[in-house]
Amino acid sequence: MSGICGWLGSNHSAIENQQTIERMIRQLSRFDGHPAHTAIRGNAALSVTAKTSHAHLYENDGLLVGIWGRIKSRDTHFQAAIDAKGMAMALADQWRQKNKLSFADLAGEFVCCIVDSHTGETALAVDPLGTHVLYYQLLRDGLLFSTSADALLTHPQASSEINPQGLFNYLYFHMIPGPDTIYSAQKRLLPGEYLLYRSGHVETSHYQKIEFHEDIKRPFPELQQEFLSLLRKSVSEAIQDQKAGAFLSGGTDSSTLAGILTEITGEPAKTYSIGFEATGYDEMHYARIAARHFSTDHHEYYVTPDDVVETIPLIASVFDQPFGNASALPAYYCARMARNDGLDLLLGGDGGDELFGGNVRYAKQYIFSLYDKIPAPLRNYLLSPLFLSLPPDTGPKLLRKARSYIAQASIPMPHRMETYNLLMHYGFDTVFSPELLDKMDATQPGRMIEQTYQAASGARSLINRMLAFDWKFTLADNDFPKVVQSCHLAGMEVAFPFANDEMLAFSLALAPDQKLKGTQLRYFFKQALQGFLPDEIITKQKQGFGLPFGVWLQTHKALRDIASDSLNDLKSRHIIRNDFIDKLLDQHLHEHASYHGTMVWLLMMLEYWFKQHNPSKK
């Protein structure tokens, strides 16, 4: 994978600049060893570190243009220039003509950086769904940027001061949502955002407007034909001439990609699945159904508690922000198998749920939304006062369920989705030390959630507002970094065919009830793939590569020991209350291992992040 890095405005000697860029490059390539393509001109530097197909660098007369990944354009003239001149040179010409408007027609999975040492301008951009991240920091006399926060910190002017709000947000969201980071001085671009730096000032804006079109009606056969064509096209564009395989969880997305990959290449696709010897966590049965159905060359690995003990430090080392999604570990084992088989690329099904309405919570929130259809006077003056006045844990089961339903349904969206938030269950004062509470804003996550939910352009329906919400918090902030970094650790490239710009446009023009019809998830998607996917895959309940960490903590001494040791080490950082850590380990974990095991994992990975990424000057 590797990445991109550079700066504008750091006035050091040529030797010092060369040494600095080499330090940054070493951080970028430490897991895969890809070559660097570098240009340094006066007070500007830019380097793209990646395999040849994903590294594009152009330099002419003080203008440096770098692209990590692949860009394309919906503008036919711009695309013709890309085909004729190459991506970086075509973008350089576009920049000279249109400046910041150059990004308006970009698509693909990419990060691009433009540094003009003559005009003192820098422009940065990431792809519309944010499959990759880009960090930046203002310097005294310029701008510093990199796809790796660790690489950025190797610059002599970079600041490593920890952001207390980032620590709070990590435990709230289980990751740190953009544009914030774990470092006070660092920010990162949001999906589809560009940054323009000039004369000491930074301007950020979205270069494309993603807008839902909810009133378009098209015949199902026409939609189905276009959808299947887009699937084949997006997979073909992702693999090109590479040796490709696919993650296979047994869900609809990964199974679809495995089948399309087999169809396109004309040979059995190599597919990779992870299993667990734990009741309720293993879905290898469905992966095998898909593998047999498409006759894939299937590979399996059962992750054990010993694997978790061995791999936790590695997982912590590859994430340059504290990251708490435990399914990064099984994703790594899939990528490692693929790497050992000599593959260049894995296809990930991430994005399918968020484009076509596949997450279980969409159906749950639809059920809660039905309460709003009851006439307001009846709701507000009879039902809500009556049921909410009842004690929550007493009375007949049906009455308790009715009270719980009304209590949740009465909370407006999007905050209703946060009623299951683990941190809110414990209480902020119970978890965080007084020192940290004094330095952070507990209301910030709520404002961020509200702003994102309300910003969905053209979305009048509940399902589309939730989809747009998840494009940021589930995809860009969570799932994409999880898979990208896990593959990076294994030295494997990954692509996301459902993040294809044409697939996104197709989704935006589907009617809301084609995504969620009542409580039926992925209504159009499943109808369109009838006869292609096995019936068992279409009707199965969603699961994925969830790690049975809490369950294993009860039975595996070595895993329990490293968890206990890391949480006790975390006490010295004065982030979490000592008495909460003690109660979590001694009481909560024994009451409900799976539920409270999530918090143990989050705190353990936070401590391992501190150990692996010493936030002192390198």
Side-chain angles (χ1 to χ4, degrees), residues 274 276 281 303-304 308 326-327 329-330 544-552 601:
I274 293 301
F276 310 102
Y281 286 85
V303 174
T304 69
V308 178
S327 59
L329 191 145
F545 286 156
L547 186 73
F549 175 72
V551 175
W552 284 345
W601 177 271

Side-chain angles (χ1 to χ4, degrees), residues 37 125 176 242 452 500 510:
H37 309 262
I176 303 174
Q242 300 174 90
T452 302
N500 179 284
L510 282 178

Side-chain angles (χ1 to χ4, degrees), residues 500-575:
N500 179 284
D501 64 303
E502 292 175 86
M503 191 71 74
L504 172 61
F506 180 84
S507 168
L508 290 168
L510 282 178
D513 64 359
Q514 290 176 311
K515 301 167 185 177
L516 181 68
K517 191 175 184 67
T519 59
Q520 297 179 70
L521 300 169
R522 292 175 168 271
Y523 185 75
F524 166 78
F525 189 100
K526 291 180 177 180
Q527 292 292 110
L529 291 170
Q530 288 280 356
F532 180 77
L533 289 177
D535 290 342
E536 300 95 325
I537 300 297
I538 289 178
T539 58
K540 75 177 285 292
Q541 294 295 311
K542 180 176 174 58
Q543 190 167 324
F545 286 156
L547 186 73
F549 175 72
V551 175
W552 284 345
L553 276 179
Q554 304 303 296
T555 58
H556 195 272
K557 184 179 184 303
L559 190 58
R560 190 164 59 248
D561 287 346
I562 67 164
S564 178
D565 290 345
S566 62
L567 265 63
N568 282 307
D569 290 345
L570 184 62
K571 291 178 178 179
S572 66
R573 302 189 189 277
H574 307 293
I575 297 169

Side-chain angles (χ1 to χ4, degrees), residues 421-526:
N421 187 286
L422 187 62
L423 185 57
M424 293 179 68
H425 168 82
Y426 291 122
F428 303 154
D429 294 343
T430 301
V431 175
F432 292 106
S433 68
E435 300 98 307
L436 187 74
L437 285 172
D438 288 341
K439 299 175 183 176
M440 57 81 173
D441 179 3
T443 67
Q444 193 213 49
R447 294 197 305 273
M448 192 185 309
I449 288 168
E450 179 76 26
Q451 181 181 7
T452 302
Y453 184 77
Q454 299 298 342
S457 181
R460 302 187 305 274
S461 63
L462 174 69
I463 179 61
N464 279 339
R465 287 194 294 270
M466 285 193 290
L467 294 181
F469 179 91
D470 277 346
W471 292 347
K472 181 189 187 318
F473 289 107
T474 301
L475 286 179
D477 290 328
N478 197 326
D479 287 350
F480 287 148
K482 174 194 72 179
V483 180
V484 167
Q485 293 301 96
S486 297
C487 286
H488 183 40
L489 179 62
M492 175 60 55
E493 301 287 333
V494 62
F496 305 101
F498 287 112
N500 179 284
D501 64 303
E502 292 175 86
M503 191 71 74
L504 172 61
F506 180 84
S507 168
L508 290 168
L510 282 178
D513 64 359
Q514 290 176 311
K515 301 167 185 177
L516 181 68
K517 191 175 184 67
T519 59
Q520 297 179 70
L521 300 169
R522 292 175 168 271
Y523 185 75
F524 166 78
F525 189 100
K526 291 180 177 180

Side-chain angles (χ1 to χ4, degrees), residues 272-386:
Y272 299 88
S273 297
I274 293 301
F276 310 102
E277 295 288 357
T279 303
Y281 286 85
D282 184 50
E283 109 176 296
M284 193 70 81
H285 169 68
Y286 291 101
R288 289 168 182 163
I289 289 174
R292 286 195 300 269
H293 182 78
F294 294 116
S295 300
T296 71
D297 180 7
H298 190 53
H299 304 262
E300 300 176 354
Y301 184 79
Y302 270 79
V303 174
T304 69
D306 288 328
D307 291 327
V308 178
V309 171
E310 177 185 346
T311 310
I312 281 172
L314 293 175
I315 294 294
S317 69
V318 77
F319 285 96
D320 49 13
Q321 304 283 309
F323 189 77
N325 189 332
S327 59
L329 191 145
Y332 161 70
Y333 276 97
C334 278
R336 194 175 73 169
M337 283 192 289
R339 180 66 176 176
N340 291 339
D341 284 344
L343 295 191
D344 302 315
L345 176 76
L346 271 177
L347 301 181
D350 303 84
D353 281 335
E354 291 74 24
L355 265 64
F356 297 101
N359 285 322
V360 175
R361 65 179 171 276
Y362 302 153
K364 288 183 179 179
Q365 295 305 328
Y366 166 76
I367 293 172
F368 286 128
S369 74
L370 296 178
Y371 187 63
D372 289 335
K373 298 185 182 300
I374 298 174
L378 183 58
R379 287 196 327 265
N380 298 334
Y381 298 108
L382 178 60
L383 295 177
S384 290
L386 174 63

